[in-house]
Amino acid sequence: MKPLIAGNWKMNGSLASNEALVKAMLDGLGGQAPGADMALCVPAPFLAQLQSLLTGSPIAWGAQDVSSHEQGAYTGEVSATMLNDFACRYAIVGHSERRQYHGESDLLVADKAKVALAHGITPIVCVGETLAEREAGHTETVVKRQLAAVIHAVAHCTSEIVVAYEPVWAIGTGKTASPEQAQQVHAVLRAQIAAATQHPERVHILYGGSMNAANAASLLAQPDIDGGLIGGASLKAADFLQIVALAH
Ligand code: PGA
């Protein structure tokens, strides 16, 4: 299985800056097939632009969220069928910023993962503990609870999800989990997946949280870290490509 390096642009970008950034990434790849699978998860209004810039390239694209509803009176939501219209391969679900600022529960996140899969979109399921939870010794309990909800909802499709371990205290803070801290949690998640599917080896478990060109190598060297979900460093072509180059 090739590693997966996925960018999460969060609420950043503009038509002009996206074009420059994506072109710099494609130029940097220079027509070479990267050693890792690559994806960019972008704000919904830019999906058409990414589809047009990336079709035929080695970089896939995706959304940062998806509605748990199929259609109808859900102002502000974006449905999986809409993401299908723009050929999204991925949708992040349960990012800590959505859990924290939009009150998304484990159950809602699980529903979103299920809806994505039903529409052929790979959910990138984010799990992770807050600093208070880590300090209280609850890291494993929290991530297992978050992942269990998704496994329960998607059942036999568990081998089709991507998991991203993103310790909340490491996101956008410049504080990365040490490779050992991350590996410890990844091993727990791997075991949980192995208990739920006959094909645990198909599931990428990404690390996210201040991963950058300087720290990516040691994180990606861990046996259960299969790639990265990259926020800040995915907004800089050179940094993102360097992480991709380190992942093989
Ligand atoms: P960061 O974000 O790399 O900027 O810490 C990662 C994420 O939130 O997905």
Side-chain angles (χ1 to χ4, degrees):
M1 183 173 71
K2 266 193 186 182
L4 170 63
I5 304 295
N8 172 12
W9 284 2
K10 309 194 180 188
M11 198 172 72
N12 294 292
S14 65
L15 290 174
S17 67
N18 301 343
E19 182 164 347
L21 177 56
V22 169
K23 288 200 162 146
M25 287 183 186
L26 293 174
D27 284 351
L29 289 175
Q32 305 276 18
D37 289 334
M38 296 174 68
L40 295 172
C41 295
V42 305
F46 298 137
L47 287 170
Q49 184 192 22
L50 273 277
Q51 181 182 21
S52 121
L53 290 169
L54 293 175
T55 296
S57 84
I59 309 180
W61 57 95
Q64 298 171 5
D65 186 25
V66 61
S67 178
S68 62
H69 303 286
E70 288 294 333
Q71 61 164 55
Y74 300 103
T75 302
E77 297 271 276
V78 175
S79 72
T81 49
M82 294 172 191
L83 300 185
N84 283 152
D85 268 351
F86 298 97
C88 282
R89 169 115 181 248
Y90 297 99
I92 296 172
V93 299
H95 191 281
S96 65
E97 286 149 17
R98 300 228 39 105
R99 292 180 191 262
Q100 196 177 339
Y101 308 141
H102 301 272
E104 294 198 7
S105 65
D106 294 342
L107 210 58
L108 178 63
V109 172
D111 279 345
K112 290 181 172 197
K114 188 175 175 180
V115 167
L117 283 173
H119 290 271
I121 298 164
T122 301
I124 300 177
V125 176
C126 299
V127 300
E129 82 288 0
T130 62
L131 186 58
E133 287 164 339
R134 173 163 283 266
E135 286 175 346
H138 295 155
T139 298
E140 283 192 20
T141 318
V142 169
V143 298
K144 282 167 86 171
R145 188 200 71 222
Q146 292 171 333
L147 183 57
V150 173
I151 290 174
H152 181 73
V154 307
H156 64 278
C157 295
T158 297
S159 64
E160 291 166 40
I161 69 173
V162 170
V163 177
Y165 169 55
E166 298 207 312
V168 178
W169 48 271
I171 294 176
T173 56
K175 277 192 216 162
T176 331
S178 70
E180 296 73 25
Q181 279 174 324
Q183 167 56 28
Q184 203 175 9
V185 178
H186 280 235
V188 167
L189 297 171
R190 179 83 65 203
Q192 193 177 2
I193 290 163
T197 163
Q198 286 171 342
H199 300 288
E201 76 287 352
R202 286 191 198 157
V203 179
H204 285 93
I205 308 179
L206 313 181
Y207 170 79
S210 299
M211 194 191 260
N212 58 38
N215 60 30
S218 56
L219 286 159
L220 293 167
Q222 299 301 311
D224 290 304
I225 300 186
D226 308 316
L229 183 56
I230 319 294
S234 72
L235 297 169
K236 296 178 204 138
D239 292 30
F240 191 64
L241 290 175
Q242 209 174 329
I243 297 170
V244 171
L246 291 166
H248 46 72

